[in-house]
Amino acid sequence: MASVLGRLEERERAARKRVEELQVELEAAQSEWDEWLIARRRVGEVWDGGETAGQDGEPARTPEASEAAAPSAARPGSVVPLWREGLSAEVLAPEYQQVMSLLAERRTTGGLPLNCREITCLLGLEVVPAKIEGVRCKLKRLAARGWAHEPVPGRFVCGGRGGGS
């Protein structure tokens, strides 16, 4: 008869394996989503650069193209634009600004890169798996778009030049 601890370990290993599989699946889905966002942005750039005029004689513009061309006001749930020289963290949604502020503060004090659990705690969120994963998704998105870097898997630092607020 298997011991209780043995059964618990088996279930823990199975759960960990499932989490790892889901993380791989999530990363693949996020990568695909990022590609679609880039494609939409590129089409918007081409659309804005075209000679097609609207009814008033002005160049025709879609809302998506306008947002991609010049992000100005941050709003909750907005898309994280690709970082480029001269772009400040103020274009990010408030929750992303908070994360970038923490990373920028850590950079100025010369501290070590932060992990998702530490950032979750510093944001004043309850340190539970759901909140940690939400922070991880934000950090991965910021890293994918150049706002942050992941020098060591699971640890993040401020990216770009002056990427903080």
Side-chain angles (χ1 to χ4, degrees), residues 32-55:
E32 181 181 359
W33 179 36
D34 290 343
E35 290 173 11
W36 284 111
L37 290 173
I38 291 168
R40 184 175 61 135
R41 191 174 300 123
R42 295 286 186 236
V43 168
E45 289 171 4
V46 170
W47 187 272
D48 282 347
E51 296 299 311
T52 307
Q55 291 179 344

Side-chain angles (χ1 to χ4, degrees), residues 46-92:
V46 170
W47 187 272
D48 282 347
E51 296 299 311
T52 307
Q55 291 179 344
D56 57 357
E58 292 295 320
R61 257 196 186 150
T62 64
E64 295 86 0
S66 299
E67 179 183 341
S72 57
R75 64 184 192 278
S78 64
V79 174
V80 176
L82 292 172
W83 182 86
R84 62 184 177 277
E85 192 68 41
L87 196 60
S88 75
E90 293 173 357
V91 301
L92 299 172

Side-chain angles (χ1 to χ4, degrees), residues 16-17 19 49-50 59 73 75 91 103 115 118 123 137 139:
R16 182 69 192 148
K17 182 180 177 190
V19 166
R75 64 184 192 278
V91 301
L103 294 177
N115 68 29
E118 293 165 336
L123 288 171
C137 286
L139 286 161

